[in-house]
Every structure is written in structure tokens, then in C-alpha cells.
Amino acid sequence: MRTAIYPGSFDPVTRGHLDIIKRAAVQFDRLIVCVMVNAEKKGLFTPQERVELLRRVTADIPNVEVDASSSLLADYAREKGAGCVVKGLRAMSDFEKEFQMAMINRKLNPGLETVFLSARQNYTYLSSSIAKELAMYRVPLEDFVPAEIAADVQAKMEEQLCRQTRRTE
Ligand code: ADP
């Protein structure tokens, strides 16, 4: 069974992420989308909430599983019996860091390959940060995040804005 891991922050999952998930899912028998938890980076959503949003938007793709982990990716892949890491590339600016990560992962787990999928042209500008910034300005989010989670992203942003306003009063 060919198992791959698609790691990321997914804070929150965007249409660009979902496009990579769908395209990777047809290339492998099993795709694990893993929210990599970074204790130093506090996101808009908690890791568990990100998992829940990812599960909702991938519910109709049978060979996709969603998980969260604070392990080193190379160790996590070994633990899951995965031979491949999937990454999306938006621009050359993504490449340098991702290439370095691929080398490190192979050094730590010699059997681990990294496969890069190029972003679909209309999503090359899209990131979770952009989606959050647009939510701050109450721009409709349906073109940027999957439609079924757009209201959740907006509501979470409103909560954060409300908390910030209270703190500055
Ligand atoms: P970001 O916070 O930049 O949106 P993540 O850390 O969650 O990204 O990204 C996880 C993976 O998804 C990375 O390999 C990243 O390059 C890729 N990715 C992010 N956005 C897109 C997009 N719009 N199209 C294709 N791949 C993407």
C-alpha cells in the first residue's frame, strides 16, 4: 500500500490545499493530511479545530485521513509506514525552503521521498494568511476557502477581533 503524508499548518485549510489533497489522493492508496503542531506558533484555530475543518472538507474522499502531530515529520512518516511526503509549490519562493526540508527529511529517514505538486494557476496567490487577512476585512471567503467552512472562518475571525477590541478598551 502506497501511503503519503501531506503536512502543513492548515490554519485554516484553503481551496489551494484542497486542490493538492484531491490531486494527491488519486496518486496514492492512502493519503494522511497531517496538521503539524508547532507549540511556538499560535494560530487562529486550535490544531483540533483545524483537523475538524479538514475532516469536513475531505469527508467525500475515501482514502484521505486527517490527523495532527507534534512529532518530527521524518519520525511521523516512519510511524505511519509512509514512503512519501507531498508538498504544494506555489512559486519559486516556496521552493528553496521546501527543497531544504526534503533534504533534511531524507537525511533523517532515508526511505522518505518528497513529491512536489505545482499549485493550480488560480490558487498560486492563495495562502491561509491571505484568507485570514481577507476575513479581517469581511471579504466573502467562498473563493478562498472551501464553501462549507467559510462561515466558520469568518465566525472565528469575528471572535478574535472582538477579543482584541475588548483588550484595547
Ligand atoms: P500556508 O499557511 O502557506 O497556506 P501550510 O503550511 O498550511 O501553508 O501549507 C502546507 C502545504 O501546502 C505546503 O506544501 C504549501 O506549499 C502548500 N500550499 C499552501 N497553499 C497552497 C496553494 N494555494 N496551492 C498549492 N499548495 C499550497
Side-chain angles (χ1 to χ4, degrees):
M1 166 131 83
R2 280 157 42 87
T3 300
I5 297 175
Y6 178 36
S9 324
F10 306 108
D11 182 40
V13 56
T14 66
R15 282 185 178 269
H17 294 136
L18 187 57
D19 178 57
I20 297 289
I21 293 172
K22 287 180 176 162
R23 288 162 56 202
V26 296
Q27 301 296 334
F28 296 93
D29 302 310
R30 178 182 175 221
L31 179 71
I32 305 173
V33 181
C34 188
V35 174
M36 302 310 287
V37 181
N38 179 346
E40 274 156 38
K41 264 210 223 155
K42 208 179 162 311
L44 178 63
F45 290 94
T46 66
Q48 209 38 54
E49 288 167 339
R50 296 177 211 179
V51 165
E52 196 273 316
L53 295 176
L54 275 162
R55 286 205 175 121
R56 212 184 313 154
V57 303
T58 58
D60 59 344
I61 318 173
N63 61 335
V64 169
E65 292 166 33
V66 182
D67 193 13
S69 173
S70 50
S71 305
L72 200 59
L73 180 59
D75 293 338
Y76 179 80
R78 207 178 278 118
E79 189 191 304
K80 294 288 175 184
C84 203
V85 172
V86 172
K87 289 286 186 149
L89 281 185
R90 283 163 289 191
M92 280 310 283
S93 51
D94 275 344
F95 181 77
E96 213 171 314
K97 190 173 142 261
E98 295 296 359
F99 193 70
Q100 190 182 21
M101 286 307 301
M103 297 296 129
I104 293 170
N105 285 331
R106 188 150 57 198
K107 166 111 185 106
L108 298 175
N109 178 345
L112 192 58
E113 289 290 355
T114 301
V115 166
F116 295 103
L117 295 183
S118 55
R120 207 170 280 284
Q121 204 174 356
N122 38 344
Y123 296 140
T124 49
Y125 63 88
L126 187 52
S127 67
S128 298
S129 314
I130 291 283
K132 286 183 278 192
E133 200 161 332
L134 295 172
M136 270 174 61
Y137 293 98
R138 303 191 173 105
V139 172
L141 296 177
E142 282 76 4
D143 285 347
F144 309 102
V145 302
E148 58 267 53
I149 70 159
D152 301 72
V153 177
Q154 193 59 57
K156 192 75 176 176
M157 182 54 76
E158 295 300 332
E159 244 176 62
Q160 193 190 61
L161 292 173
C162 206
R163 237 180 289 124
Q164 280 167 354
T165 315
R166 254 187 264 128
R167 237 180 275 135
T168 55
E169 274 170 4

